[in-house]
Amino acid sequence: MEIRPILSAMMRNRSGVLLVGLQIAITLAVAANAAFIIQQRLEKIGRPSGVDAANMFYVYSYGYSPSYDSKPTLAADLDTLRRLPGVLAASSTNGMLLSGGGSANSYQASANTKAPQIPGNYFEIGEQGLNALGVKLVAGRNFRADELTYSGLDNLFPKQIIVTRTMAKALFGDERVVGRLVYSPTGDAAEIIGVTQNMMGSWVDNRHPENVVFHPILQRGARLTYMVRTEPGRRDELMARAEKALSKPGDGRFVVWVHSQEHYIKNSYRSDRRMVVFLWTMICLMVGVTALGIVGLATFLVNARRKQIGTRRAIGARRIDIVRYFMVENGLLTAFGVIAGAGLSFLFSYWLSNMFALPPLKLRFVLWGIAALLLLGQMAVFIPARRAAAVPPALATRTV
Amino acid sequence: MLEMQNVVKIYRTDLIETHALRDFNLRVADGEFVAVTGPSGSGKTTFLNVAGLLEGFESGSYRLDGKNIGELDDDARSRTRNQKIGFIFQSFNLIPDLDVFDNIDVPLRYRGFNAAERRRRIERVLELVGLASRARHVPSQLSGGQQQRVAIARALAGEPRFLLADEPTGNLDSLMARQIMDLLEEINSRGTTIIMVTHDPELANRAHRNVHVMDGQVTDFHAFESPLAAAV
Ligand SMILES: Nc1ncnc2c1ncn2[C@@H]1O[C@H](COP(=O)(O)OP(=O)(O)OP(=O)(O)O)[C@@H](O)[C@H]1O
Ligand SMILES: [Mg+2]
């Protein structure tokens, strides 16, 4: 292959070649890092919630009249919800999963105040709480109805708790924790009576989103939130039914909203999805501009070399030889661009990871980027190269 | 042997048709040195383009080395140009991005010779045209006469049977023109058939034979006679 003469011809068009080479390098650096971030975001968005999110919803009730009493309302509401055909379980709760809001506490594996404090995102639920989430126990047992207490200042830390496997590991380095005691920083003790599968807590951006703890506590006060799980496919129908069933005129309270679990998940990942769309758009724009740059440079070089192309044809080049010339030239240009771009990618990644605490770029994103840019270059140069091959050999004698 | 019979070449543009060659008849035997003369626009370059397979033609027959050129496809024409024909252009047509050595190398690469063979041939023709010391100069570092000698070297490196030259001395002063002519005569004496278009009567006189073209046709031809005499 005629690489050396092509290289020396490129050296004589240095400025255009350098500019487009630099463009390719920058495109690789930005696109590889952007693709890496996209992949992380997609992985984050795609994380399983661990609960039966598709069939869950929440009902929020607000009691406004002086005669409103939360205890009988709660009992009656739970009874009403559980009686709706298609409802599998209903429980009161102190927060919505993956909603961006919730409660957290510190938990310790020993009473020693110097023991490490493990942050846990806790949910106050009833005996149907786990079922309403669709979360299964992997060890131990569920809360019993007689263990439930009402929320209030005096019982912030309960006597029994259930933890996720991840929380168990975080506390004890082991999942076999049923029967062990967990302490609050103020020295209250609770017995772990069950361990559940992993599930996400309240915050998608939490560093330990699966450090979840359940407390056997019922809600009280003006604001009550119910968590309901339905048979597959009946959620929307039952959301409407539940709202209607709890809205009795004149009972001193009203249903403020009914939201599906998916509503919260969608909202929580909105900024991540926006980031994905933004980065994709940026990649496409950069790649598009680079492709235009390649086409532009190749078109310029083809036009500037028309006489030379005619001469090459006259002295024996076939059309394919001319096409190949420009393809090889582009291959060399892109190769220089991506070699520089690979270095630049990791520099850029280093800067990003320092600025925004991102993990370091994985090599395979750079390799894919290189492959994509080489392919892009060959495709972009093909049309100008074909035009070059169409230069008639007679041009050699017809131009001065 | 080059043989054209009733070759017709028409250029068509949106506005007009130009009959650049009309019933063009010519035979050139192997080893001949033919000068083609004629007024501007008479069809000399057109003839050379058709003869050199740079352009096709509308009708008539053209046989080169016994091969019917009209039947060849584009790739076969490229190969024939590469192997049998050497071109010398009025404006040299060296590739400005490449040095002398690489310029001569271009047709040899298309020919598919290996590096050693190409080097051998390049060194031989550079010796022949007297530019061995300039192998690494680029065209812009050479005089017009030197550039044309490089072009001749490039045309000869493939050892073609035919050398086609369109006013090879048109851009050179008379001293350089004579040197180029000396070189062409020497090449012809070694067996290469040469067809040269020229406006210069002195150079035309040095050819074996003059072919006078007028209005797309060969008007007359006289071996070893001056084109001025032929025109009378
Ligand atoms: N590509 C083209 N398209 C249209 N007409 C053309 C084309 N090339 C040549 N011609 C016409 O064909 C005719 C013959 O041109 P040609 O170049 O062969 O003349 P020439 O004898 O070489 O002239 P000169 O001595 O000036 O070089 C001219 O009338 C010219 O205008
Ligand atoms: Mg001419």
Side-chain angles (χ1 to χ4, degrees), chain A residues 1-313:
Chain A
M1 200 62 242
E2 46 176 343
I3 285 177
R4 196 186 49 77
I6 290 178
L7 268 181
S8 50
M10 280 171 80
M11 284 309 166
R12 287 174 193 281
N13 293 291
R14 226 168 286 149
S15 51
V17 166
L18 271 180
L19 273 174
V20 175
L22 192 65
Q23 201 182 348
I24 291 170
I26 292 170
T27 301
L28 176 63
V30 173
N33 280 287
F36 180 51
I37 295 171
I38 286 175
Q39 192 252 3
Q40 288 171 280
R41 295 292 169 115
L42 287 179
E43 231 166 50
K44 181 181 168 196
I45 293 170
R47 281 179 304 186
S49 65
V51 301
D52 188 11
N55 300 308
M56 281 172 63
F57 67 88
Y58 299 90
V59 184
Y60 179 73
S61 149
Y62 180 73
Y64 59 87
S65 90
S67 62
Y68 167 85
D69 187 356
S70 76
K71 279 190 189 177
T73 306
L74 178 81
D77 285 352
L78 285 174
D79 191 52
T80 306
L81 290 170
R82 286 166 186 171
R83 276 176 201 279
L84 290 174
V87 167
L88 297 178
S91 169
S92 63
T93 178
N94 64 332
M96 287 76 68
L97 245 60
L98 297 168
S99 63
S103 310
N105 211 343
S106 288
Y107 299 84
Q108 294 175 300
S110 85
N112 185 339
T113 49
K114 290 205 183 72
Q117 299 192 358
I118 310 297
N121 174 196
Y122 70 88
F123 287 88
E124 297 175 345
I125 58 173
E127 79 280 14
Q128 285 198 10
L130 293 183
N131 195 10
L133 290 163
V135 169
K136 297 216 162 48
L137 284 164
V138 295
R141 63 171 179 85
N142 191 7
F143 297 128
R144 288 194 310 261
D146 63 3
E147 286 165 347
L148 302 177
T149 58
Y150 282 92
S151 62
L153 288 176
D154 52 327
N155 64 351
L156 207 63
F157 207 73
K159 294 276 170 285
Q160 300 86 13
I161 64 169
I162 295 175
V163 297
T164 58
R165 297 167 62 172
T166 301
M167 187 65 188
K169 266 232 177 81
L171 281 164
F172 298 102
D174 187 8
E175 288 177 12
R176 282 162 301 174
V177 295
V178 172
R180 300 187 72 155
L181 291 180
V182 170
Y183 301 87
S184 75
T186 50
D188 299 314
E191 183 192 352
I192 297 178
I193 61 162
V195 178
T196 70
Q197 319 168 307
N198 278 329
M199 54 169 276
M200 303 272 287
S202 303
W203 303 283
V204 294
D205 292 316
N206 193 340
R207 275 218 289 156
H208 306 287
E210 295 183 328
N211 278 8
V212 175
V213 180
F214 296 102
H215 294 182
I217 289 174
L218 297 170
Q219 303 305 298
R220 68 176 178 193
R223 297 170 177 81
L224 296 176
T225 307
Y226 303 107
M227 179 164 73
V228 183
R229 186 161 75 99
T230 71
E231 287 171 2
R234 300 188 64 178
R235 181 195 68 195
D236 293 347
E237 160 207 346
L238 283 161
M239 279 170 74
R241 270 231 226 118
E243 177 164 15
K244 224 167 142 197
L246 299 195
S247 304
K248 289 183 219 92
D251 68 351
R253 66 87 183 260
F254 63 97
V255 173
V256 183
W257 49 248
V258 182
H259 287 156
S260 70
Q261 177 64 63
E262 282 173 343
H263 161 85
Y264 291 106
I265 294 179
K266 226 174 125 193
N267 279 345
S268 292
Y269 288 121
R270 178 170 292 156
S271 65
D272 294 300
R273 273 199 315 275
R274 280 196 184 143
M275 183 59 99
V276 167
V277 171
F278 168 73
L279 291 175
W280 251 122
T281 310
M282 197 176 66
I283 289 176
C284 291
L285 283 176
M286 285 201 75
V287 166
V289 168
T290 301
L292 286 181
I294 292 169
V295 171
L297 177 66
T299 303
F300 168 77
L301 289 176
V302 168
N303 288 338
R305 292 170 179 163
R306 280 177 68 78
K307 180 177 177 187
Q308 150 179 177
I309 295 164
T311 304
R312 284 176 180 273
R313 292 279 282 134

Side-chain angles (χ1 to χ4, degrees), chain A residues 397-398, chain B residues 40-41 43-46 90 166-167 197 199:
Chain A
T397 53
R398 294 289 184 197
Chain B
S40 182
K44 304 180 298 295
T45 296
T46 306
Q90 180 174 354
D166 195 352
E167 299 187 36
V197 170
H199 277 125

Side-chain angles (χ1 to χ4, degrees), chain B:
Chain B
M1 168 94 104
L2 178 154
E3 191 172 11
M4 282 189 184
Q5 275 176 1
N6 302 326
V7 166
V8 173
K9 173 71 190 176
I10 303 171
Y11 290 111
R12 291 192 173 86
T13 61
D14 293 342
L15 291 175
I16 54 163
E17 277 189 358
T18 308
H19 291 251
L21 297 180
R22 38 183 114 204
D23 289 333
F24 197 95
N25 291 292
L26 183 68
R27 270 170 86 131
V28 177
D30 288 344
E32 265 196 293
F33 191 151
V34 175
V36 178
T37 57
S40 182
S42 58
K44 304 180 298 295
T45 296
T46 306
F47 155 67
L48 219 57
N49 278 359
V50 172
L53 279 58
L54 300 180
E55 285 181 293
F57 49 95
E58 328 301 319
S59 66
S61 92
Y62 171 29
R63 302 181 78 81
L64 184 73
D65 256 359
K67 238 190 218 145
N68 185 354
I69 296 306
E71 291 173 349
L72 300 181
D73 67 12
D74 195 72
D75 280 4
R77 294 166 72 89
S78 296
R79 259 195 307 279
T80 307
R81 288 197 293 270
N82 186 236
Q83 295 172 8
K84 295 198 171 160
I85 301 167
F87 285 97
I88 304 168
F89 307 94
Q90 180 174 354
S91 51
F92 324 135
N93 289 29
L94 296 177
I95 293 169
D97 302 332
L98 301 178
D99 63 25
V100 166
F101 187 97
D102 288 341
N103 260 287
I104 302 172
D105 202 19
V106 170
L108 302 179
R109 282 179 184 266
Y110 293 137
R111 187 84 165 259
F113 288 136
N114 66 36
E117 174 71 9
R118 298 196 322 258
R119 171 167 295 279
R120 191 185 65 73
R121 283 170 178 255
I122 294 166
E123 280 166 359
R124 191 182 65 81
V125 291
L126 274 178
E127 204 65 53
L128 180 72
V129 301
L131 287 172
S133 61
R134 307 284 177 142
R136 289 303 167 194
H137 284 55
V138 289
S140 59
Q141 296 168 323
L142 300 175
S143 74
Q146 288 169 331
Q147 289 188 46
Q148 193 59 303
R149 269 146 65 195
V150 174
I152 292 171
R154 180 177 67 183
L156 286 179
E159 293 171 3
R161 302 278 306 277
F162 301 91
L163 204 55
L164 305 184
D166 195 352
E167 299 187 36
T169 59
N171 286 5
L172 303 176
D173 65 32
S174 55
L175 180 63
M176 285 216 204
R178 244 170 278 144
Q179 288 174 358
I180 293 295
M181 192 61 196
D182 293 344
L183 187 55
L184 290 179
E185 276 183 334
E186 190 191 335
I187 290 161
N188 174 250
S189 72
R190 297 178 185 198
T192 307
T193 308
I194 298 182
I195 301 172
M196 175 181 74
V197 170
T198 183
H199 277 125
D200 184 337
E202 190 195 327
L203 297 184
N205 272 332
R206 289 171 65 174
H208 298 163
R209 176 153 70 104
N210 275 210
V211 169
H212 195 68
V213 177
M214 198 108 128
D215 211 7
Q217 277 182 314
V218 177
T219 53
D220 204 0
F221 51 92
H222 303 266
F224 308 107
E225 274 186 18
S226 128
L228 294 174
V232 174

